[in-house]
Amino acid sequence: MSRTPSVHRVLAAILLAGVTSLSPAAQDKPTKPQTKQTQFISQAVFKDLEKAQQAIDAKDYPGAIAALDVVKARGDKLNDYERATLYNLYAAVYYNQDDTPKAIASYIEVLKTPNLPEGLRDSTLFALAQMYFVTEDYPKAIQVLNRWFETVPEPSADAYVLLAQAHYQLSDFQKAEKALIDALKLAKQKQQAPKENWLALLRAVYYELGDYAKAAKVLEILVASYPSESYVLQLSGMYGLMGEQTKQLATLHAGYLGGMVTKKGDLLNLARLYLVEDVPYPAVQLLTKAFRDQVIEPEAETLQLYAQALALAQEREAQIPVLKRLAEMTGEARHYAFLGQAQAEAGNWQAAIDAFQSALKGKDLDDPDGIRMQLGTAQFNAGRLSDARRTFIAASESDKHGETAANWIKFVGAEIERKRAMVQMPDEPAPAPAPAAQQDGEGQSSQAPGADTGTA
């Protein structure tokens, strides 16, 4: 995991902490009875360390190293406090030069120092843990952090989060969860709101543990406290994993109204959810706007979805030009069949005939006799009885549609004879009812309309 700016600032503050005490005769003032001999930074050492600090502030890192090397050359003449401060500054230089291995080595030298002041020890331990984390040495980061937790009286919530991150990287999700819960409890005690990255990590932990219900609860907090498109989509997806489609739709719908569902794939997913939940009109509105704004391109998949939404919303006339464009775009038999069905529902019999005939010539034709049954019905309703009879005869050899086609052949034949007779005997009684409605191969009703005129 790469270093974040916030981690950088924390480290920089820790690294510079030792410098603030660089003054001649500076000393710690323990609250407990003193058990260690108090050490000071001598005037000569202080001047060289101050030069190093000034070079660090000016980002003159070679100059800082040179100044520190002068101090280091004193060797055994340095006391423990001077030596610890020296290596703390070395670590600061190496850190700023992105030389993490040398920064880690410098921190380790600080910790080797006898009689190390508690404050410098604790800050060094935490900085070292962060360095191990940056280098992705998570076991050592956890080891040093646990040592740090044993020494500090009031650990911060951020420290628990760092521990959780290290456990997460090692796929130890249960320990990561415990550390995050500790961080959240501590923040609550201090009346601090949980940070976004804490909650995001906890969501990831619950997802990895397969606890989708808890992950959804965390995402609900994220959506409420840190609303974003990402969290809306994650929460919707989590509801989907839990099989709660109504909540999934409600979340996406709210996000869409709030301008947080904007990408093509997410918009199409929302449109499909509208249709699944039997609310097609919002899907029509969404797709109409998306096509107009050119967020969604008119492709076979999107046009078919649009036509379906229009049909379910009872916008049948608006569906026809969409289906026509779809059929012309793909040349597929099924799309011409859809167009023929829409034209038939609108009573546009000749247009329906044209569409079904195109379907019979189209690509990927898998049920020609089913389409012939629909074509014959359209021809019958258009008054083209002879054409209808020929079409039904062509379909009569089908195992699937043969029986229905045979009934239609008899009915259309009788209707042809009736019409002929009507020319000679206009007072002829009305014919018998048409064949009973049956489902054809496309799921459309094949019942003939009133046969007294031969038209719809």
Side-chain angles (χ1 to χ4, degrees), residues 85-415:
T85 305
L86 168 67
Y87 280 102
N88 199 17
L89 283 173
Y90 268 127
V93 175
Y94 293 135
Y95 173 81
N96 283 288
Q97 289 182 312
D98 291 323
D99 192 340
T100 307
K102 287 186 178 180
I104 289 174
S106 297
Y107 282 132
I108 292 174
E109 288 298 323
V110 174
L111 293 172
K112 288 180 179 178
T113 305
N115 302 315
L116 190 62
E118 292 180 359
L120 184 56
R121 176 203 62 198
D122 295 342
S123 65
T124 302
L125 280 171
F126 195 76
L128 180 59
Q130 289 177 309
M131 286 286 96
Y132 281 133
F133 187 90
V134 168
T135 59
E136 301 182 4
D137 191 344
Y138 304 117
K140 284 187 178 178
I142 292 170
Q143 180 183 7
V144 174
L145 271 174
N146 285 333
R147 181 180 169 190
W148 178 84
F149 277 114
E150 292 172 356
T151 63
V152 295
E154 295 183 3
S156 65
D158 283 307
Y160 283 109
V161 173
L162 183 62
L163 179 62
Q165 289 173 326
H167 283 304
Y168 181 86
Q169 293 297 330
L170 294 175
S171 298
D172 194 341
F173 303 119
Q174 290 183 334
K175 287 184 178 179
E177 178 196 11
K178 181 182 182 304
L180 285 167
I181 295 301
D182 288 340
L184 292 169
K185 287 180 179 178
L186 185 57
K188 186 176 182 180
Q189 290 173 4
K190 296 183 178 181
Q191 297 183 333
Q192 297 173 346
K195 295 181 181 179
E196 180 180 359
N197 66 305
W198 303 357
L199 295 170
L201 181 59
L202 184 58
R203 178 217 57 91
V205 167
Y206 285 134
Y207 178 82
E208 295 292 347
L209 289 172
D211 195 336
Y212 300 145
K214 287 184 178 179
K217 290 294 183 183
V218 175
L219 279 166
E220 288 170 2
I221 299 172
L222 281 166
V223 169
S225 304
Y226 306 97
S228 72
E229 181 172 1
S230 174
Y231 295 140
V232 167
L233 295 176
Q234 288 179 37
L235 179 57
S236 174
M238 200 63 63
Y239 285 138
L241 288 173
M242 296 165 63
E244 298 186 17
Q245 282 191 334
T246 301
K247 287 185 176 181
Q248 183 183 14
L249 173 59
T251 302
L252 270 186
H253 177 70
Y256 175 68
L257 295 180
M260 290 185 287
V261 179
T262 59
K263 296 182 178 63
K264 173 185 173 181
D266 301 323
L267 291 170
L268 290 174
N269 187 35
L270 176 55
R272 294 187 186 99
L273 281 171
Y274 282 136
L275 299 186
V276 169
E277 292 296 305
D278 198 24
V279 281
Y281 189 66
V284 171
Q285 291 180 308
L286 181 154
L287 291 169
T288 300
K289 183 177 186 301
F291 282 124
R292 184 179 64 243
D293 296 344
Q294 298 183 338
V295 178
I296 295 178
E297 297 297 324
E299 303 166 335
E301 177 188 7
T302 57
L303 288 175
Q304 184 170 317
L305 181 65
Y306 191 29
Q308 182 183 4
L310 288 165
L312 292 173
Q314 305 297 316
E315 298 285 347
R316 303 196 185 280
E317 289 292 340
Q319 178 193 19
I320 290 173
V322 177
L323 285 171
K324 185 176 181 181
R325 185 174 184 181
L326 173 62
E328 292 173 348
M329 177 184 294
T330 67
E332 292 186 16
R334 64 190 180 108
H335 292 147
Y336 277 111
F338 294 154
L339 175 59
Q341 292 161 12
Q343 296 284 20
E345 289 174 356
N348 302 328
W349 300 115
Q350 186 54 53
I353 290 169
D354 294 340
F356 288 131
Q357 288 175 335
S358 295
L360 288 170
K361 301 173 186 176
K363 296 186 295 184
D364 301 324
L365 178 63
D366 60 0
D367 186 13
D369 290 319
I371 293 175
R372 288 190 181 99
M373 293 298 298
Q374 296 178 83
L375 173 59
T377 304
Q379 289 169 330
F380 175 86
N381 282 284
R384 295 167 54 175
L385 301 183
S386 297
D387 290 342
R389 187 172 183 274
R390 283 191 294 270
T391 301
F392 287 128
I393 289 173
S396 65
E397 299 299 322
S398 167
D399 293 336
K400 184 176 182 181
H401 307 287
E403 183 179 351
T404 305
N407 290 335
W408 268 104
I409 292 169
K410 293 177 182 178
F411 174 76
V412 175
E415 184 66 5

